[in-house]
Structure formats: structure tokens, C-alpha cells
Amino acid sequence: ARGSAPLRIADFQEVLGEPTVALTKLRELCFSGIPFDGGLRCLCWKILLNYLPLEKALWSSLLKKQRDLYSQFLKEMIIQPGIAKANLGVSREDVTLEDHPLNPNPDSRWNTYFKDNEVLLQIDKDVRRLYPDMAFFQRPTDYPCLLILDPQNEFETLRRRVEQTTLKSQTVARNRSGVTNVSSPLKTTPSSLSEYEVLPNGCEAHWEVVERILFIYAKLNPGIAYVQGMNEIVGPLYYTFATDPNSEWKEHAEADTFFCFTNLMAEIRDNFIKSLDDSQCGITYKMEKVYSTLKEKDVELYLKLQEQNIKPQFFAFRWLTLLLSQEFLLPDVIRIWDSLFADDKRFDFLLLVCCAMLTLIRDQLLEGDFTLNMRLLQDYPISDVHLILKKAKELQDSK
């Protein structure tokens, strides 16, 4: 691999400059990390996540089509229900017996509205906690959604829905053991939510954009809706697109993130579906695969963890489900994702990264007792992701 930055950038530009992008070449380049310069990462991720086709001539028409479609989703799922709610509240006569808030009929618009509110409250709680160690998600976006923030609008926005809804978020118990309950000390949640004050009207914080993406995803995918942890998957994607140096792409970060997130979830959604846990596509199978790979590569360490009854679900559940987004700081997560998205076997490399993480702390694990080892695994000590990726690559090559 050509090392220096300008040469690497030239390599990327050459591959991306062809009328049809050579995917194998692009994957190889991305696997070793994508330069931030010139919006290369955003463009590569969009190709690797099957949002952009390999034929360059199709890009602009496809992007326009998808972004228009996303505006349509906003109108149907956020603006229309908000208008209906505003209208229904205007006078008593509007609330007909067929559709009033206490109507038990499951098809009632109100019923849907209240159900949506439960999901919205859970999303709201989670997105406000995104990367509290970084100011980015609290800052206002340069491209707030004008459709929604127009001061002429009388309708109810998501922001207002959250403020007005009285449903207690406790009603949504979607937490799966281990996904978010053992949060890494790197990600300490501020003691008060005062840091997350809602910005004045006409402004929107980045976390509010992420909230909207997740809400629309939940509405369009009722089979899975929203599960805690999805916020940790959408966060790095949105951050990458919303900090793109190319302002034209940056302006459409919301729509582009939505479609890339949807494509990524199509590949990893089985990890979030509890009923599939024990099937071959579920998370339990993948966690066991981490241990069987470890057994192959380092039997002594494998036996030690077995002997201490340290099950993979104690730590690998979170590592695998959230694609390591909780174990490292955001810039490092993004670097790991370059390699994961470039993996043509789709996340087989993730299993090797998990093994590399174990073997790199093998001496400490071999000496430690159960409590000490659990602490190491719940709050992983090595922060140099290049070292981890290098080790994972060695494991891959030693097959």
C-alpha cells in the first residue's frame, strides 16, 4: 500500500474517477482507511453501503430521486400527522366519534399516534445521549429542515410532540441485556439534561435530525421499529455525512444518512431481533463464532475465559450488535467502520477484530480473576485502533 497521504488520495481519486468504479479495488483501498479529504469517506461509504451504484453517470439522478423520496416521507410521517393533530384539536365538532382519542379500534389514527409517541419517547431519550463527550450533536445544523421549521407552520413537530406527550417513556421496555446497560466510562452521560436544552425556534440540533431519521425508519419498518442501540449505529453515519467538506453533499446529510442507515440495517438487523437470537443469522451464533475463532487462534486464552465462565454475551453482544461504536471514541469508530464496510464478506472481519481485541490483552486476561477480566472486557483498555486492525488483519491472513 502506498503510504503517504497525497499518494493515497490520488489512488482513491483514480478509482473513483473511472466511469464505472472497480469495487474490488475500492474495497482494498478503503480497508486500510479512507482519507477525510475532499469528502472521500462520504462518497466511499455511500458506494460500500450500496446507496450509490458503481456507474458514475447514474449518481446525480439517483441522489435526486432518493432525496425527493425522503422529503415525501417527512411530509407523510411527520407533517401530515402533525397537521391532523393540530386540526383535530381546533374544536369539539372536529373530533368525531369514529376517531377520538379513546377509540379502542386498533386502526384508529389516534391509536397509531399514541403508539408512535411511545417509540418517539424512547428514541428521544437515546439520541439526546449520543456522544455526550462531543459537542457536535448539541450544535445547530447549518441545514435545518425548512419544511418543518417554517414559522408559518401551525402543526405539531416531533419536538413539540415530545414536549407535550404525557406518556411515560418507561412504557417502552425494549432494552436487550447488555446493549446499553454497561456504558463505557468514555461515554459518561452528563448528570443533568440541562446541557441538552432545545435550541430556539428556527434552529435544530444535530441530535434532532438523528431523531427524525430514526422515527421515520421505525414507521417504515414496523416489524423491527426502533430498538435501543440503533441510535449508536446511525450516529457515526450521520456525523460523517454532516461534516462532509463538500457542502452540497453536507446539505443532504439527513436523507443520505437515512438511506445508508436503512441499507446497513438490512444487513445487521437480525442482531436487533430478539426472536432470531438463536437462529443461524442471530446474534448468539455470531457471539459463539467469536469464541470458536479465538479457540482456533489462541487456545490457552480461550480455555481461560471458559474456565472463568466468561460468556461471550457478557461483552461480545455489545461489540457485535453496535459494530464497536460504544467501545471507542467516534473518530476511531469511523476508522474501524472503513474496514468493516470494505469487507466483502460483510462483517466477517468484525469477528476477527473482536478476536484481536481479546488477544491484545491476553496477558492481563490470563492473570486476571473473573471480576478484573469482566472489567477489562466491559471497558476495553486499548485505544489504538490501528494496532487492533493490524492484529485482526494478521489473524485474517493466518487462516
Side-chain angles (χ1 to χ4, degrees):
R2 307 199 309 174
S4 78
L7 290 177
R8 274 187 60 71
I9 293 167
D11 288 347
F12 273 92
Q13 285 168 338
E14 190 183 327
V15 172
L16 294 165
E18 295 292 328
T20 300
V21 176
L23 188 57
T24 312
K25 258 193 208 161
L26 184 69
R27 283 190 194 282
E28 259 169 51
L29 283 174
C30 295
F31 188 80
S32 312
I34 307 168
F36 173 75
D37 314 68
L40 285 174
R41 177 174 279 124
C42 304
L43 179 53
C44 293
W45 278 18
K46 284 172 181 144
I47 296 169
L48 295 174
L49 291 171
N50 304 316
Y51 178 45
L52 284 179
L54 299 176
E55 292 75 32
K56 218 167 147 184
L58 303 173
W59 289 357
S60 59
S61 62
L62 178 119
L63 288 170
K64 183 179 178 342
K65 191 178 112 223
Q66 296 301 87
R67 290 161 180 174
D68 289 348
L69 178 60
Y70 187 75
S71 293
Q72 204 45 49
F73 293 156
L74 287 175
K75 286 175 189 153
E76 284 170 24
M77 283 165 238
I78 293 176
I79 295 177
Q80 286 307 326
I83 291 172
K85 170 87 194 294
N87 292 345
L88 281 165
V90 173
S91 67
R92 298 287 321 163
E93 293 74 36
D94 283 346
V95 185
T96 59
L97 279 173
E98 283 77 60
D99 205 3
H100 66 86
L102 300 177
N103 182 352
N105 178 353
D107 299 332
S108 152
R109 260 192 320 183
W110 280 101
N111 196 38
T112 310
Y113 180 84
F114 291 133
K115 265 209 166 57
D116 287 352
N117 277 1
E118 287 182 33
V119 175
L120 177 59
L121 278 173
Q122 180 65 63
I123 294 173
D124 189 72
K125 205 169 83 185
D126 293 345
V127 293
R128 285 167 184 260
R129 294 192 295 221
L130 262 180
Y131 291 95
D133 50 326
M134 287 179 66
F136 170 80
F137 286 97
Q138 313 315 319
R139 289 204 187 111
T141 165
D142 296 336
Y143 303 101
C145 180
L146 301 176
L147 274 173
I148 287 172
L149 291 186
D150 180 351
Q152 300 304 304
N153 283 341
E154 286 300 309
F155 72 81
E156 185 192 47
T157 58
L158 287 188
R159 180 192 285 192
R160 225 172 295 160
R161 268 175 87 156
V162 171
E163 287 163 7
Q164 290 175 358
T165 193
T166 49
L167 273 166
K168 291 281 171 281
S169 48
Q170 280 75 3
T171 52
V172 184
R174 280 185 176 272
N175 190 8
R176 301 256 314 276
S177 63
V179 178
T180 48
N181 60 355
V182 197
S183 162
S184 142
L186 287 172
K187 310 265 169 28
T188 45
T189 305
S191 51
S192 80
L193 283 180
S194 61
E195 289 179 45
Y196 300 120
E197 279 162 15
V198 172
L199 296 169
N201 282 341
C203 295
E204 248 186 345
H206 287 292
W207 66 261
E208 292 187 80
V209 181
V210 174
E211 174 169 85
R212 198 159 49 231
I213 291 169
L214 286 166
F215 182 71
I216 290 178
Y217 178 82
K219 288 283 288 168
L220 286 171
N221 297 275
I224 183 170
Y226 172 75
V227 182
Q228 234 177 350
M230 287 183 184
N231 54 315
E232 305 290 351
I233 300 284
V234 84
L237 280 177
Y238 175 74
Y239 174 81
T240 301
F241 294 168
T243 53
D244 191 324
N246 173 343
S247 61
E248 188 219 336
W249 288 67
K250 194 172 169 177
E251 185 180 344
H252 296 287
E254 180 177 349
D256 293 347
T257 301
F258 172 80
F259 289 108
C260 287
F261 171 68
T262 300
N263 289 358
L264 179 55
M265 280 304 299
E267 298 186 33
I268 62 169
R269 61 179 280 165
D270 294 349
N271 296 346
F272 287 90
I273 301 175
K274 200 164 175 35
S275 59
L276 291 177
D277 279 1
D278 297 320
S279 72
Q280 221 178 339
C281 54
I283 189 73
T284 309
Y285 177 78
K286 291 179 187 130
M287 288 190 292
E288 280 162 4
K289 197 107 172 30
V290 172
Y291 265 22
S292 60
T293 311
L294 180 68
K295 186 178 179 182
E296 218 176 278
K297 306 286 182 192
D298 189 339
V299 72
E300 187 189 357
L301 179 56
Y302 166 78
L303 290 171
K304 171 75 176 187
L305 295 175
Q306 288 288 62
E307 176 200 317
Q308 290 188 342
N309 203 16
I310 293 179
K311 297 187 178 352
Q313 47 269 45
F314 297 162
F315 60 94
F317 182 90
R318 190 176 73 194
W319 291 7
L320 294 168
T321 309
L322 303 182
L323 306 180
L324 297 169
S325 62
Q326 282 265 286
E327 312 316 310
F328 302 98
L329 294 170
L330 187 57
D332 294 329
V333 172
I334 288 169
R335 169 61 194 91
I336 292 170
W337 284 17
D338 286 346
S339 295
L340 293 185
F341 294 166
D343 173 17
D344 61 341
K345 298 213 172 50
R346 275 322 199 208
F347 308 118
D348 274 11
F349 188 65
L350 178 58
L351 300 173
L352 294 170
V353 174
C354 294
C355 274
M357 287 168 70
L358 294 170
T359 54
L360 284 169
I361 55 168
R362 76 184 301 273
D363 296 349
Q364 289 146 283
L365 290 171
L366 290 172
E367 280 168 29
D369 59 7
F370 176 85
T371 315
L372 196 73
N373 286 347
M374 279 301 293
R375 197 173 304 143
L376 279 173
L377 296 168
Q378 295 283 2
D379 179 23
Y380 189 74
I382 296 177
S383 56
D384 182 354
V385 297
H386 296 94
L387 185 66
I388 295 164
L389 291 167
K390 186 167 169 264
K391 182 73 186 164
K393 184 81 180 89
E394 281 168 20
L395 294 175
Q396 188 182 47
D397 295 342
S398 71
K399 282 202 160 171

